[in-house]
Structures are given as C-alpha cells and as structure tokens.
Amino acid sequence: MTEQPEEAARARARARYEWTLAAAWALLGLVLLGLSAAAGSLSTGQIADEEAFLGARPCVEAEVVRGTEDCLRTIRATVLSAQDAKSGPKGAGVFQVRLKAPVPAPADRPFNLRSNGELSQLVKPGEEVEVTAWRDVQVSVRHDGAVETLPGLPDEATMYVGLALVCVWTTALAFIAAFGSARRARCHTTGRPVTPRVGFGWAKGLSVVVVPLVVSYLSLTLWDAWTAAGMAVAIWALIAFPATYAALRWDRER
C-alpha cells in the first residue's frame, strides 16, 4: 500500500526536475537566439563589404578621396623606415614598413610585408612605394615592378556565416532539449511511458561546431561573397537537418 504513494511522489519529483530543465534549456535557447541574430547581422555586413571590395575599380582623378569610397586608391609615398620585426601573439617574423608623413589614411599606419618576400629585399628607407587602398584597408604595395598583397582583406566573410550557423544549430538543439524535457515532465505527471534522453556526447558536440565551419571554409574556396554564403547555408542544412533527426531517433528504445 505504501509503494503507490511513494511512486507518485517520485514521479512528481521527476516531473518538477524535468520542468526545471525545460525552463533552463528554453532560457539558454533564447540567449543563443539573440547570439544567432547578432552573428547573422555581422555576417551580412561582412559579406556586403566583401562584395563591395570584389567589385571595386580604380579611382579616377575627379573623385574626391574621403577614405570611405568603394574604389581603389593609389597612394604614393616615401618610405620612412623598413626593418624586420615581430608581429602577432606568436611573434611571427615580418618586414615592417612605415611611410613618411604627411600621407593619407590608411597608408599612415605601418604595414607588414613577408619577411622572405621580394619587396623585403627591395624596399629601403627614402625610396618611393605605391600603396593601393580601399576604404580604410591597405590592399597591396608596389615598388620597382614587384607587388605584394597585404593580409586582412575583406575576403573571408563566409567564415562569419559558419560562426552564425554554429549559433543557429546550438539554438535549435537547446529548444529541442527544452521540448524533450517538457514532454518527459508531462509523461511523469500523467504516468505515461517516458521517452529516454538522447545522449549528446563529445562526437555530437564537436560536429555542431566543426561541420558549419568546414562547410563555410569549403564554400569560401569555391565561391565569393553572397554566393558562398548561400551555398554554405544550403550545404549545412542538407547535413544538419538529417543529422539532427538521426541523432534524435538513434538512442530511442525500440
């Protein structure tokens, strides 16, 4: 006679626990939803910049140079200093060049060339170089027929799409987990059989992060700008939806 009340009490306790989990997962999902929106907005801006950069043309003399126009400016300046230096957290060796003032932005900032590149052997203080700039970005440096493209160009926007997709996938999984917990809570309350939880594990967790980034990187190597972003989302969806459905079904009791 005492087993039934004890069973009922345990069921109520499990139901309260599952409702708490459902609320926690839902809250996490809302936070991740906000991050997804922010990442998507950032991705859109980055892709638009890449599209503008890819379509940029050389500036003409009649254009007023303000540093924000979508044309490629050529800035001629004299080298103030050119020397080997260390850059980045790992202290990578670079050949750092500074130009003599006055010089318009962004050429007024020092820029790093490859330490073993052709320009590192040619550029000396007092010589003139040509810096190609787009908006506030230094694109390339030319001297004596040798040209070197500088790092940091707006040509990796698709990887921001990958980060946004990581947030989107984790958001979906958080809401799925909230739904699962709420369903188990109702089962405990009504006495129906309880669907077992789906084990997440390292492999599944790693795939949530790795798959979108790998897809975005591959799309980046095949397409540009909006095309790469659209293909990254399409290919990711073809992988993510079946994989998520399979994971939800895989651990169910037969």
Side-chain angles (χ1 to χ4, degrees):
M1 299 294 292
T2 59
E3 291 183 358
Q4 291 183 351
E6 290 178 359
E7 286 289 340
R10 283 196 293 267
R12 288 194 297 270
R14 287 194 294 267
R16 287 193 298 269
Y17 175 73
E18 292 293 348
W19 280 120
T20 301
L21 281 182
W25 280 117
L27 180 60
L28 178 61
L30 291 175
V31 172
L32 291 172
L33 184 62
L35 292 176
S36 299
S41 176
L42 177 62
S43 301
T44 301
Q46 292 291 332
I47 297 169
D49 286 345
E50 180 180 337
E51 188 77 7
F53 173 70
L54 293 174
R57 54 174 177 73
C59 296
V60 297
E61 294 181 1
E63 289 179 309
V64 179
V65 177
R66 299 188 182 92
T68 57
E69 66 284 342
D70 287 334
C71 62
L72 299 171
R73 295 176 290 153
T74 298
I75 302 171
R76 295 176 178 84
T78 303
V79 177
L80 175 64
S81 65
Q83 58 189 0
D84 292 327
K86 298 293 183 181
S87 177
K90 296 183 178 180
V94 296
F95 187 71
Q96 189 174 83
V97 179
R98 294 176 182 270
L99 302 180
K100 185 181 296 184
V103 63
D108 56 346
R109 300 193 300 264
F111 52 85
N112 298 328
L113 302 174
R114 295 193 301 270
S115 59
N116 58 349
E118 186 177 0
L119 284 181
S120 65
Q121 307 298 323
L122 298 175
V123 174
K124 307 294 180 184
E127 297 185 346
E128 187 179 84
V129 296
E130 293 182 357
V131 178
T132 300
W134 176 80
R135 292 186 181 178
D136 196 38
V137 178
Q138 299 178 74
V139 177
S140 62
V141 179
R142 177 187 297 271
H143 174 69
D144 198 20
V147 182
E148 182 172 324
T149 300
L150 298 175
L153 303 184
D155 59 355
E156 297 182 356
T158 310
M159 294 308 296
Y160 288 92
V161 176
L163 294 175
L165 293 179
V166 171
C167 295
V168 170
W169 201 348
T170 51
T171 299
L173 293 178
F175 283 123
I176 290 172
F179 172 79
S181 293
R183 185 178 182 181
R184 284 189 294 272
R186 289 193 296 269
C187 290
H188 285 302
T189 301
T190 59
R192 290 179 296 172
V194 179
T195 303
R197 292 184 178 89
V198 177
F200 200 59
W202 283 104
K204 294 176 184 176
L206 192 62
S207 68
V208 172
V209 177
V210 171
V211 170
L213 296 179
V214 171
V215 169
S216 297
Y217 177 77
L218 293 177
S219 298
L220 173 66
T221 61
L222 297 175
W223 299 284
D224 291 324
W226 291 107
T227 302
M231 292 304 298
V233 173
I235 296 172
W236 168 82
L238 291 175
I239 298 172
F241 287 108
T244 302
Y245 179 79
L248 292 173
R249 299 295 301 179
W250 188 268
D251 294 331
R252 288 182 182 270
E253 293 180 349
R254 301 298 180 184

